Amino acid sequence: MHVLLKSNSLVVRLLTSRITDGMMFEDISSGDGGLYAELLQNRAFQQVDVTNQASALTAWAAVGDTSITVIADTTPLSSALPNALQVTVPTGSTGSVGFSNSGYWGGSFQLQFQAPEYRMTVLAGINVNTSWTYEASLYYRFPTATTFSGPLTIALTSSSGVVLASKALTISGKNTGWTQLTTTLTATKAPSNTNNLFTVTVNGAAAAGQTIHFAFLSLFPPTYKGRANGMRVDIANAMAALGPSFFRLPGGNNLGQTIPTRWQWNATVGALIDRPGRVGDWGYPNTDGLGLYEYMTFCEDVGMEAIMAIWAGYSLNGASVAQGAALEPYIQQSIDQIKFVISTDITSGPGAVRASLGHPKPFALTYIEVGNEDFFSSTYSYRWTQYLGNLTALFPHLKFMATSYHANPVLSPVALQYDVHVYQTPTWFADNSFYYDTFARDGTTYFEGEYASISTNSSNLYSTPANGRFTFPEVQGSVGEAAFMTGLERNSDIVFAASYAPLLGHVNGSQWTPNLIGFDAGAVILSTSYYVQQLFSLNRGDVYLPSTLPTSGGTLQWSVTKQNSTNDVFIKVSNFAASAQTVTVELPFATVATSGTVKLLTGAATASNTPAAPNTIVPTTKTIITSKTFSWSAPALSVAVITVVAH
């Protein structure tokens, strides 16, 4: 095969000059207990049913001779957090008594994945690191004033009871109102695993007969860039290492399962005790500690821009708000959400709220996504019309993105940006590098907002792992995705951004597989698709260089770009075939370096990176001889980025 670059090559401006490869966040066991660094699960008993103690006490257990119950407190910590943990120390109690939290997915157990070689013990619970300082806090009160005064010990312990870190603080029975305690913990002993506990105890003999209420307990490790209430360092570092240009938030299908339980920006900002949380769309409570402000500051910290979604009158259960006056309050809430992010008025309204949180300067924002996957809804036309009629008048400089099918239904005003989602087989992606080549160049542009190879079963993509569904991304899928991505680069005049989805998945219990980045309590697993995304993202040119075209539907696909500031030419090659294929490159430049590099990802079709073997497939880099004409033998099932300096 020949890749012949034309002499008049610098003609098509790339999407990569501003926004391209980025990340689509979906809260599928990945916000709380994942990206958000809080280590205590069910920390404030949010959105729990106190009549179902087994559920209400998720992650909590009694320590010693005591009883614990989640109650609707008669004097709640806040209107947003009405529940508390009631701890009753019986008469005659001895020893340390209190309660513990096992963190997210606490306990050591084995998971059986789609093949025997995936049998593994995953890291669960609380990661205790002797080099870290933890921030711990809680609120307590005595429902009835007593003369009790004594030490309360906050600790980190192993599952076998070994104390790893502890601090003793004094509590008083005179405090019938809520009192906050804060402290730091530093482990003096290293545990053998992450199956550790956070404990709060008192001396049973001294506290015998006492009843104490606790609310909003928290434990934070060091966070990404030291942000208070921030992100888990290793996950955030893995995300930043992709070199992303954007972050789609707050999560596509997490915008709302029902109208009352929809994601509402104003319930996710401000003091944590004023955030009620919500039952997320994937079936578990969201604390909303990871709120709109945290999303936006994270974008700044990583150096990416938000693509922000607004709830647009439609929920996943099929309910839509009627057009007209009924829709206006929801539109106003969206207006306020946008103003919170970009308003320059910091004396009143949403802009003042942002400024009060420490960010008077507006955040960067260009794209607003109106709803999510509204191709499932028959009401998008009137909702789009009513939303856009209000939003474009107020924010004429922003770009609003439709989430229905392109041109079906016909939207008014005409949508200039569409979000396209596709989950398919490896073969589909390999065959569809030319997917966008026939799209009309009529001013409409596209965001490939969700795409991933998820199964080998084309007749039932959402099958079980035993029937072709991937537990972790596999080489065959990642190579197919790379072929598709070469087409995104070739069509960068109309495809302005793209993101693999979903981004994160807790290996102990994600509701969706596969995910770009896997994680457990103590480790991050970078998938084969992660490395493909990274290869494309970190090797981006300013311009697309036209070349001889690959064969549509063929097993060898490529794209060529150039970074003008460095004269680096990037030749990306995906070989989906089961055997090596030779690519001959003819460069029309006056000067071509005599050597270049090849970054290569290749492996067996079904090979994956797993918790048991996280480095099974990783990219390699080697030097190759280059000239105005040179050849490259692309290994079977491989993705390569050839870099050569030419001008």
Side-chain angles (χ1 to χ4, degrees):
M1 305 292 294
H2 285 262
V3 180
L4 174 62
L5 303 190
K6 300 176 183 178
S7 57
N8 59 339
S9 56
L10 307 184
V11 293
V12 182
R13 191 73 179 172
L14 260 187
L15 73 158
T16 50
S17 62
R18 189 172 175 282
I19 284 185
T20 65
D21 296 332
M23 300 180 293
M24 177 273 178
F25 184 76
E26 181 73 85
D27 199 340
I28 310 176
S29 294
S30 58
D32 292 319
L35 177 60
Y36 184 50
E38 172 65 73
L39 292 171
L40 302 187
Q41 185 179 6
N42 193 21
R43 67 182 182 182
F45 316 101
Q46 293 164 277
Q47 305 297 320
V48 301
D49 179 3
V50 297
T51 66
N52 182 351
Q53 286 295 304
S55 175
L57 283 167
T58 295
W60 297 97
V63 172
D65 184 16
T66 188
S67 64
I68 62 173
T69 307
V70 178
I71 62 169
D73 204 297
T74 55
T75 306
L77 178 62
S78 68
S79 59
L81 303 179
N83 300 323
L85 185 70
Q86 179 174 278
V87 179
T88 303
V89 183
T91 301
S93 180
T94 60
S96 292
V97 300
F99 54 92
S100 68
N101 187 287
S102 57
Y104 285 87
W105 299 95
S108 181
F109 50 89
Q110 283 198 332
L111 297 181
Q112 176 67 60
F113 291 116
Q114 66 192 62
E117 61 267 24
Y118 285 172
R119 187 180 292 113
M120 65 199 72
T121 299
V122 296
L123 300 177
I126 296 175
N127 188 13
V128 176
N129 189 312
T130 56
S131 67
W132 294 352
T133 297
Y134 296 79
E135 303 285 340
S137 65
L138 58 81
Y139 290 83
Y140 82 93
R141 79 179 189 92
F142 284 73
T144 302
T146 75
T147 59
F148 174 81
S149 179
L152 175 141
T153 300
I154 299 174
L156 294 171
T157 72
S158 71
S159 58
S160 62
V162 176
V163 176
L164 308 171
S166 70
K167 281 284 183 69
L169 306 172
T170 300
I171 60 173
S172 171
K174 295 179 181 179
N175 292 334
T176 57
W178 290 104
T179 299
Q180 186 181 24
L181 299 178
T182 62
T183 190
T184 59
L185 296 172
T186 302
T188 57
K189 295 180 181 179
S192 59
N193 55 44
T194 62
N195 188 22
N196 304 307
L197 302 172
F198 170 85
T199 63
V200 177
T201 57
V202 293
N203 181 284
Q210 301 293 325
T211 296
I212 313 171
H213 292 185
F214 293 88
F216 194 83
L217 302 98
S218 177
L219 179 69
F220 265 85
T223 60
Y224 183 69
K225 296 200 173 180
R227 284 273 183 188
N229 195 47
M231 308 304 176
R232 179 171 147 176
V233 173
D234 56 351
I235 294 177
N237 279 336
M239 294 165 63
L242 285 168
S245 295
F246 69 87
F247 187 55
R248 178 183 165 210
L249 59 90
N253 279 340
N254 205 36
L255 280 176
Q257 184 69 39
T258 69
I259 294 173
T261 62
R262 71 192 184 280
W263 185 86
Q264 301 183 65
W265 76 273
N266 47 298
T268 76
V269 300
L272 294 176
I273 64 171
D274 294 327
R275 303 187 196 186
R278 55 184 283 269
V279 177
D281 296 358
W282 296 94
Y284 55 87
N286 293 177
T287 67
D288 283 336
L290 176 53
L292 181 56
Y293 185 77
E294 287 76 23
Y295 281 126
M296 298 307 300
T297 53
F298 180 54
C299 286
E300 278 196 341
D301 287 344
V302 176
M304 55 191 175
E305 188 171 315
I307 291 182
M308 187 176 73
I310 55 176
W311 191 80
Y314 168 72
S315 293
L316 292 178
N317 66 355
S320 293
V321 179
Q323 61 183 315
L327 201 54
E328 291 301 322
Y330 303 100
I331 295 174
Q332 184 59 53
Q333 194 169 34
S334 296
I335 291 170
D336 291 342
Q337 178 181 335
I338 296 169
K339 285 183 175 180
F340 174 83
V341 175
I342 67 170
S343 177
T344 57
D345 179 4
I346 60 173
T347 61
S348 63
V353 175
R354 184 195 69 239
S356 72
L357 299 177
H359 204 287
K361 182 181 178 181
F363 290 106
L365 186 68
T366 302
Y367 290 95
I368 301 291
E369 188 162 10
V370 182
N372 178 69
E373 293 187 338
D374 283 275
F375 42 76
F376 289 124
S377 170
S378 61
T379 66
Y380 195 58
S381 294
Y382 75 73
R383 291 185 290 109
W384 169 267
T385 299
Q386 196 168 341
Y387 266 79
L388 265 288
N390 286 271
L391 297 177
T392 54
L394 289 170
F395 310 108
H397 60 294
L398 296 181
K399 297 182 179 181
F400 294 93
M401 193 180 337
T403 59
S404 61
Y405 289 121
H406 176 222
N408 182 23
V410 175
L411 300 178
S412 177
V414 173
L416 298 180
Q417 290 83 217
Y418 277 90
D419 181 3
V420 180
H421 297 178
V422 56
Y423 294 100
Q424 267 291 350
T425 65
T427 300
W428 187 94
F429 280 104
D431 288 345
N432 279 272
S433 170
F434 282 71
Y435 183 84
Y436 283 101
D437 286 63
T438 59
F439 277 42
R441 268 56 180 175
D442 58 3
T444 306
T445 58
Y446 301 91
F447 170 36
E448 192 66 43
E450 299 182 23
Y451 70 96
S453 172
I454 63 173
S455 177
T456 56
N457 190 339
S458 60
S459 61
N460 184 6
L461 285 169
Y462 304 99
S463 60
T464 63
N467 291 316
R469 181 68 177 254
F470 298 146
T471 301
F472 303 101
E474 297 184 357
V475 166
Q476 59 184 324
S478 303
V479 175
E481 291 155 9
F484 184 71
M485 292 164 71
T486 65
L488 300 181
E489 282 202 335
R490 183 170 59 252
N491 289 280
S492 58
D493 58 323
I494 60 170
V495 181
F496 66 88
S499 54
Y500 180 105
L503 171 64
L504 298 170
H506 198 302
V507 298
N508 297 33
S510 179
Q511 289 83 0
W512 180 281
T513 63
N515 298 279
L516 192 70
I517 300 171
F519 65 91
D520 57 23
V524 169
I525 301 95
L526 306 179
S527 70
T528 54
S529 291
Y530 172 93
Y531 287 119
V532 167
Q533 293 289 321
Q534 189 179 56
L535 285 172
F536 272 69
S537 180
L538 298 186
N539 298 283
R540 288 187 270 180
D542 296 314
V543 291
Y544 180 81
L545 306 185
S547 69
T548 51
L549 288 176
T551 301
S552 179
T555 56
L556 195 68
Q557 302 294 328
W558 62 79
S559 64
V560 188
T561 64
K562 185 182 181 188
Q563 178 63 255
N564 278 332
S565 62
T566 61
N567 289 320
D568 283 330
V569 175
F570 304 110
I571 304 165
K572 301 183 179 76
V573 180
S574 167
N575 181 16
F576 193 69
S579 58
Q581 298 192 72
T582 299
V583 178
T584 300
V585 180
E586 297 181 21
L587 298 172
F589 298 97
T591 302
V592 176
T594 57
S595 66
T597 62
V598 174
K599 297 174 183 175
L600 177 68
L601 187 85
T602 187
T606 60
S608 287
N609 293 335
T610 70
N615 298 313
T616 300
I617 304 294
V618 297
T620 61
T621 301
K622 71 174 184 178
T623 301
I624 61 170
I625 297 173
T626 58
S627 62
K628 291 185 178 182
T629 300
F630 65 93
S631 294
W632 159 251
S633 179
L637 282 174
S638 68
V639 180
V641 178
I642 303 169
T643 304
V644 58
V645 174
H647 55 89

